[in-house]
């Protein structure tokens, strides 16, 4: 029997929870776009969602369409560029320089080399990339062909992230991954030889069929490869995933408990540290923190503005959250009508902005309370007196000299602790 507490969302990517965003609040997002914000000091970046995958993995909750029918991909990329045009003409963004960009999926590396080239060229023509820093791109092992890697390198991608998940064919197959260990080995060699500034490999902790041995052997092999960055995600099983349906149908009888996943992550961080890596968040360890940052994540956790292009993408502009329409047909229809594909939004109060930055920065392991007070004019020790007291008593964090530091035990379960910082009205709401 699989414990019921293994089902549902775990990773917190937004506050207030998505269920609190609504179509009624779309006017707030329209107003944010209509207000000129030239010369703003707030960093600004782009997210581009590429919603195509060869096949759906058992645990996946991302918006992705199986296969990549070429006519659909072509219409989709046209729509993304048209959306970029609409943003680039808005008073809020017309004079803003793009500081960072992230291409996520789905599997963005399913795009052909030509599509990659025209997508990047189109975006550069529409937005000011003259001072761009990090350009991050997600890829999957089988699609990492030399032609595509060369196109990505030539387009300026300087942080490539590949989803490995585990180096065990049995576990990969059981979870519906289309790649096998030999695909990873082949892709790794090409990626290393292509010469990206930063390469990150994603692993998962607690996959269906994973054993102590499959997980730690995978980690050892990853450390031999010596990527610049290793990200470890603990398996979550949101209710819309094929795996959750199997669990509820009684077809899966064993999965790692949350305690096991937390313990494995803590042990993995220790192994990585003894191999010269530095833990920089509740998920990621890097070889050289001064070179292998993650601007996309850090900027967002510190309140950057973000324009999300593509189906179901998220934006954040001047304290307003927004998510695009979440189906491909709906997204394409908005494009045919010459409209932004507006889905749902939420304007955050000052208190909500404080909670948002507090919880996002906790994911990095420490929070500077003086900085938050300066930014929001609210005293975090007062606003969060109860959760800070509770979590300190339970051994998950320490507060000293106006800094909150998570303990390692707190860091490996950080997403499970964050809802304690929510005000009462958001305590028991659905996540999405
Ligand atoms: C959008 S995927 C990245 C690229 C590509 N689609 C892939 O899966 O390899 C981002 C990462 O999220 C992680 N992930 C996906 N589903 C997850 C789940 N249910 N629980 C934990 N991590 C998950 C995986 O490590 C994956 O590499
Ligand atoms: S490859 Fe990534 S985005 Fe695609 S189905 Fe698998 S986990 Fe989801």
């Amino acid at each position: 029997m699989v414990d019921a507490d293994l089902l549902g969302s775990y990773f917190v990517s937004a506050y207030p929870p998505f269920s609190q965003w609504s179509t009624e609040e779309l006017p707030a997002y329209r107003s944010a776009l209509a207000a000129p914000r030239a010369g703003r000091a707030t960093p600004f970046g782009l997210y581009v969602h590429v919603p195509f995958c060869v096949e759906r993995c058992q645990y996946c909750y991302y918006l992705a369409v199986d296969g990549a029918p070429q006519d659909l991909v072509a219409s989709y990329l046209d729509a993304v560029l048209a959306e970029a045009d609409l943003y680039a003409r808005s008073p809020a963004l017309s004079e803003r320089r793009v500081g960072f960009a992230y291409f996520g999926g789905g599997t963005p590396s399913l795009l052909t080399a030509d599509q990659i080239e025209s997508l990047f060229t189109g975006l550069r023509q529409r937005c000011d990339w003259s001072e761009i820093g990090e350009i991050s791109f997600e890829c999957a092992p089988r699609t990492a062909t030399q032609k595509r890697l060369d196109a990505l390198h030539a387009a300026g991608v300087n942080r490539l992230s590949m989803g490995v998940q585990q180096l065990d064919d049995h576990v990969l197959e059981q979870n519906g991954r289309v790649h096998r260990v030999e695909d990873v080995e082949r892709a790794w060699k090409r990626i290393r030889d292509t010469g990206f500034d930063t390469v990150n490999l994603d692993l998962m902790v607690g996959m269906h069929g994973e054993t102590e041995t499959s997980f730690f052997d995978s980690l050892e092999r990853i450390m031999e490869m010596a990527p610049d960055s290793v990200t470890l995600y603990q398996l979550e099983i949101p209710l819309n995933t094929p795996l959750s349906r199997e669990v509820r149908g009684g077809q899966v009888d064993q999965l790692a408990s949350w305690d096991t996943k937390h313990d494995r992550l803590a042990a993995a961080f220790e192994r990585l540290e003894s191999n010269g890596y530095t833990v920089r968040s509740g998920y990621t360890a890097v070889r050289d923190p001064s070179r292998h940052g993650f601007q996309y994540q850090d900027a967002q956790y510190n309140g950057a503005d973000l324009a999300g292009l593509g189906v179901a993408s998220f934006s954040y502009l001047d304290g307003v959250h927004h998510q695009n329409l979440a189906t491909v047909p709906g997204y394409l229809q908005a494009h045919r009508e010459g409209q932004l594909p507006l889905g749902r939004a939420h304007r955050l109060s000052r208190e909500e902005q404080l909670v948002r930055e507090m919880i996002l920065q906790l994911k990095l392991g420490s929070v500077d309370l003086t900085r938050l007070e300066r930014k929001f004019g609210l005293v975090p020790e007062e606003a969060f007196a109860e959760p800070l007291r509770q979590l300190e008593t339970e051994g998950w964090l320490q507060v000293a000299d106006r800094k909150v530091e998570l303990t390692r035990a707190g860091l490996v379960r950080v997403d499970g602790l964050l809802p304690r910082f929510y005000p009462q009205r958001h305590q028991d709401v659905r996540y999405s």
Side-chain angles (χ1 to χ4, degrees):
M1 262 295 273
V2 170
D3 262 1
D5 79 341
L6 286 173
L7 296 183
S9 300
Y10 169 74
F11 191 89
V12 176
S13 52
Y15 173 82
F18 300 113
S19 62
Q20 306 304 297
W21 309 12
S22 68
T23 49
E24 286 79 52
E25 291 196 61
L26 284 175
Y29 188 59
R30 286 202 187 90
S31 308
L33 280 171
R37 255 183 298 278
R40 267 218 142 189
T42 311
F44 167 59
L46 281 184
Y47 172 82
V48 181
H49 190 69
V50 183
F52 305 104
C53 288
V54 176
E55 269 173 39
R56 177 156 289 265
C57 305
Q58 287 297 87
Y59 51 75
C60 181
Y61 57 92
Y62 291 93
L63 197 134
V65 176
D66 278 5
Q70 281 309 301
D71 47 348
L72 182 62
V73 177
S75 321
Y76 184 80
L77 294 178
D78 286 348
V80 166
L81 290 181
E83 192 186 0
D85 251 335
L86 292 171
Y87 272 120
R89 284 196 232 120
S90 71
L93 301 177
S94 60
E95 315 255 317
R96 301 283 295 274
R97 293 202 174 109
V98 181
F100 57 91
Y102 189 97
F103 295 78
T107 309
S109 55
L110 265 181
L111 299 180
T112 63
D114 288 346
Q115 286 163 343
I116 289 166
E117 206 222 305
S118 58
L119 175 62
F120 276 78
T121 306
L123 290 171
R124 282 179 196 274
Q125 282 163 349
R126 287 162 177 84
C127 324
D128 182 350
W129 285 38
S130 58
E131 286 179 15
I132 198 153
E134 177 185 278
I135 306 180
S136 207
F137 198 98
E138 286 178 357
C139 85
R142 278 217 178 148
T143 48
T145 60
Q146 193 60 54
K147 226 172 149 191
R148 285 189 177 107
L149 294 172
D150 288 341
L152 291 171
H153 193 252
V157 169
N158 50 21
R159 182 178 184 278
L160 190 79
S161 180
M162 180 160 77
V164 171
Q165 321 310 358
Q166 201 122 146
L167 287 170
D168 179 301
D169 280 347
H170 177 66
V171 175
L172 292 170
E173 189 183 349
Q174 195 160 354
N175 287 270
R177 293 294 297 186
V178 294
H179 73 262
R180 294 292 174 264
V181 175
E182 62 172 17
D183 298 308
V184 175
E185 310 260 352
R186 218 176 286 133
W188 174 249
K189 190 171 174 324
R190 292 190 196 119
I191 289 170
R192 204 192 42 207
D193 294 348
T194 309
F196 295 96
D197 290 353
T198 301
V199 180
N200 170 71
L201 298 183
D202 280 350
L203 283 185
M204 282 171 67
V205 187
M207 292 180 88
H208 184 198
E210 173 181 310
T211 61
E212 197 77 16
T213 310
S214 72
F215 176 73
F216 287 104
D217 284 359
S218 301
L219 183 67
E220 292 305 316
R221 177 66 194 110
I222 293 286
M223 287 188 301
E224 280 163 31
M225 293 175 173
D228 308 302
S229 164
V230 180
T231 299
L232 297 123
Y233 291 113
Q234 298 175 72
L235 177 79
E236 58 176 330
I237 315 176
L239 296 175
N240 60 352
T241 55
L243 183 56
S244 127
R245 285 189 284 279
E246 285 188 9
V247 170
R248 283 175 288 155
Q251 291 138 271
V252 176
D253 53 8
Q254 230 191 344
L255 282 171
S257 68
W258 279 113
D259 281 344
T260 302
K261 290 190 266 197
H262 299 331
D263 290 348
R264 272 187 199 158
L265 178 58
F269 277 159
E270 269 180 36
R271 280 298 297 143
L272 284 157
E273 283 174 327
S274 59
N275 271 265
Y277 284 81
T278 302
V279 173
R280 72 179 306 280
S281 74
Y283 323 97
T284 303
V286 294
R287 280 205 296 147
D288 178 353
S290 68
R291 284 187 49 222
H292 309 306
F294 189 8
Q295 203 185 344
Y296 168 72
Q297 180 189 66
D298 296 351
Q300 279 193 80
Y301 288 4
N302 283 285
D305 286 335
L306 181 78
L309 307 178
V311 63
S313 290
F314 302 112
S315 302
Y316 186 74
L317 188 61
D318 202 25
V320 183
H321 273 310
H322 170 257
Q323 184 185 23
N324 272 348
L325 290 170
T327 66
V328 174
Y331 177 77
L332 294 176
Q333 181 60 26
H335 162 55
R336 280 192 290 274
E337 291 166 7
Q339 305 287 331
L340 277 175
L342 302 184
R344 54 179 175 168
H346 179 74
R347 171 175 284 291
L348 284 80
S349 65
R350 203 157 42 104
E351 287 77 8
E352 287 175 342
Q353 289 184 41
L354 172 69
V355 177
R356 176 178 184 265
E357 286 201 24
M358 176 79 181
I359 63 168
L360 292 178
Q361 287 168 29
L362 279 169
K363 287 159 155 287
L364 297 172
S366 75
V367 183
D368 179 343
L369 299 178
T370 307
R371 204 186 138 268
L372 284 186
E373 179 174 349
R374 239 181 252 135
K375 186 163 177 184
F376 297 108
L378 297 163
V379 182
E381 289 93 330
E382 287 170 14
F384 304 123
E386 192 47 28
L388 287 174
R389 193 193 57 74
Q390 278 177 13
L391 295 172
E392 192 159 23
T393 310
E394 292 166 29
W396 309 133
L397 56 78
Q398 278 150 3
V399 188
D401 302 329
R402 304 214 72 200
K403 282 220 166 33
V404 181
E405 297 278 348
L406 287 186
T407 58
R408 183 52 62 83
L411 192 64
V412 297
R413 52 175 53 71
V414 60
D415 288 274
L417 308 177
L418 301 180
R420 302 230 213 149
F421 290 84
Y422 298 178
Q424 194 57 40
R425 68 182 183 286
H426 291 146
Q427 281 295 331
D428 290 313
V429 300
R430 267 187 308 111
Y431 181 62
S432 54

